[in-house]
Amino acid sequence: MVEGGVKRRRLKSAVDWRFRVAAHWLASGPSGHHIRYVFQRAQGSQPAPDWVFADMVERARRHASVLGPQRGKLLELGAGFDFAAALTLWGLGYRQQVLVDIRRLARVGLVNNICSRLRHLGLEAPGPIETFDDLQRYGIEYRVPFDACDTGIPDDSFHHIVSTNVLEHIPARDIPAVLSECRRIVSGDGTVSMQIDCQDHWSYQDPSLDRFNFRRYNDRTWRLFNPPSLYQNRLTPSEHISLFKSAGFQIYSCELMVPEGAGAHIGARKR
């Protein structure tokens, strides 16, 4: 068991969660990720605060312990704004990477910021870079937009697949297709490591909320509080585990967060 509370630290500006819901609805349009970035800058969450950076480095180290030694190409689903997990894994020896996302969220300045901080920790890191194409010199390719349900990637293309706090943001109806694709494109002796946060993400920003506040609402009401820019499927760890098994994975590692239901870190390979 691990404490699910590292991410539980509050942002420096606590705001009633319903105002944040409204802001995220505004940020759910075609260019909403730019608005979301402005919000994050304003609230002090970009560039990542030191405690968030330390948390992401620890999560990447956990991925490495689950994945085992680097033996081939790594795919990260949901690379995010700054590539913190992937760049840490690069510093730990996973040098051939493909980073994907549903849309272009990453920013060169944030990536360079993470690389600089990793070097201060004594890890090797790429850069500095001027464009994302520059990362290809270091064995890193950034692909956007990317459909994780239908990747178009040949079978057995990757030895490792990782994601960090991504599956909880994918509609439950789409997760079987995502996991089926992962099983198809990971090699026969490959490994999959996925960190899943099953807590109400609005509770990170409003101290008045319980970490499982979203379970109070029926599906119809919850849709009002569930904008696409911070969609939460409300699945439990046991439901995620069942989806992995149904997709044909053997789970060889499962680290549950506390309190019960907070999340899980799942390590899996093909059956």
Side-chain angles (χ1 to χ4, degrees):
M1 294 278 190
V2 294
E3 170 59 43
V6 178
K7 194 178 174 183
R8 299 292 306 171
R9 289 187 56 169
R10 308 297 183 180
L11 297 176
K12 66 182 182 182
S13 55
V15 176
D16 185 289
W17 68 286
R18 286 157 292 201
F19 288 109
R20 294 197 181 274
V21 168
H24 272 273
W25 275 113
L26 290 174
S28 291
S31 300
H33 56 289
H34 297 299
I35 300 173
R36 184 179 175 191
Y37 175 70
V38 171
F39 288 158
Q40 290 177 330
R41 293 277 297 187
Q43 69 188 16
S45 60
Q46 292 292 357
D50 288 343
W51 65 269
V52 173
F53 172 70
D55 183 33
M56 289 303 297
V57 169
E58 175 57 30
R59 291 174 191 271
R61 291 185 184 278
R62 202 175 301 156
H63 279 308
S65 69
V66 170
L67 293 173
Q70 192 276 340
R71 290 186 288 166
K73 191 178 292 186
L74 177 146
L75 172 70
E76 183 185 32
L77 301 177
F81 284 91
D82 58 16
F83 302 168
L87 292 169
T88 303
L89 285 166
W90 191 92
L92 295 174
Y94 299 83
R95 296 298 172 92
Q96 296 297 315
Q97 300 184 1
V98 176
L99 315 182
V100 302
D101 224 322
I102 192 170
R103 64 181 62 86
R104 183 179 293 272
L105 299 177
R107 293 176 178 263
V108 167
L110 295 180
V111 171
N112 282 331
N113 176 274
I114 293 295
C115 288
S116 175
R117 293 160 83 175
L118 288 171
R119 284 190 284 270
H120 281 297
L121 291 180
L123 289 174
E124 290 187 62
I129 62 169
E130 294 183 1
T131 71
F132 292 116
D133 288 342
D134 293 342
L135 288 172
Q136 295 186 28
R137 300 199 306 267
Y138 302 93
I140 301 173
E141 180 184 356
Y142 183 40
R143 296 186 190 176
V144 288
F146 186 84
D147 183 356
C149 295
D150 184 14
T151 65
I153 293 172
D155 295 358
D156 304 320
S157 292
F158 295 94
H159 197 82
H160 308 291
I161 299 177
V162 302
S163 71
T164 308
N165 300 339
V166 171
L167 278 191
E168 68 266 25
H169 299 299
I170 298 175
R173 65 180 179 274
D174 294 333
I175 293 178
V178 171
L179 293 179
S180 177
E181 274 292 271
C182 288
R183 187 182 184 282
R184 184 182 65 79
I185 64 178
V186 74
S187 61
D189 59 347
T191 51
V192 175
S193 176
M194 295 197 180
Q195 165 82 41
I196 309 163
D197 185 352
C198 299
Q199 302 167 93
D200 186 341
H201 289 22
W202 299 122
S203 69
Y204 303 145
Q205 303 167 52
D206 186 338
S208 70
L209 293 185
D210 176 84
R211 66 178 77 204
F212 301 116
N213 178 69
F214 56 14
R215 303 208 187 283
R216 297 172 47 204
Y217 303 100
N218 60 36
D219 289 345
R220 182 176 181 179
T221 302
W222 176 243
R223 281 196 290 270
L224 300 174
F225 301 127
N226 202 21
S229 64
L230 194 65
Y231 179 89
Q232 301 175 70
N233 59 36
R234 301 195 293 173
L235 294 179
T236 65
S238 62
E239 289 172 321
H240 281 287
I241 290 168
S242 293
L243 288 168
F244 270 84
K245 292 178 178 177
S246 296
F249 281 107
Q250 172 192 356
I251 295 177
Y252 65 87
S253 172
C254 185
E255 191 172 28
L256 297 177
M257 295 180 182
V258 293
E260 183 178 354
H265 194 131
I266 296 173
R269 57 171 61 96
K270 288 182 179 180
R271 273 205 296 262

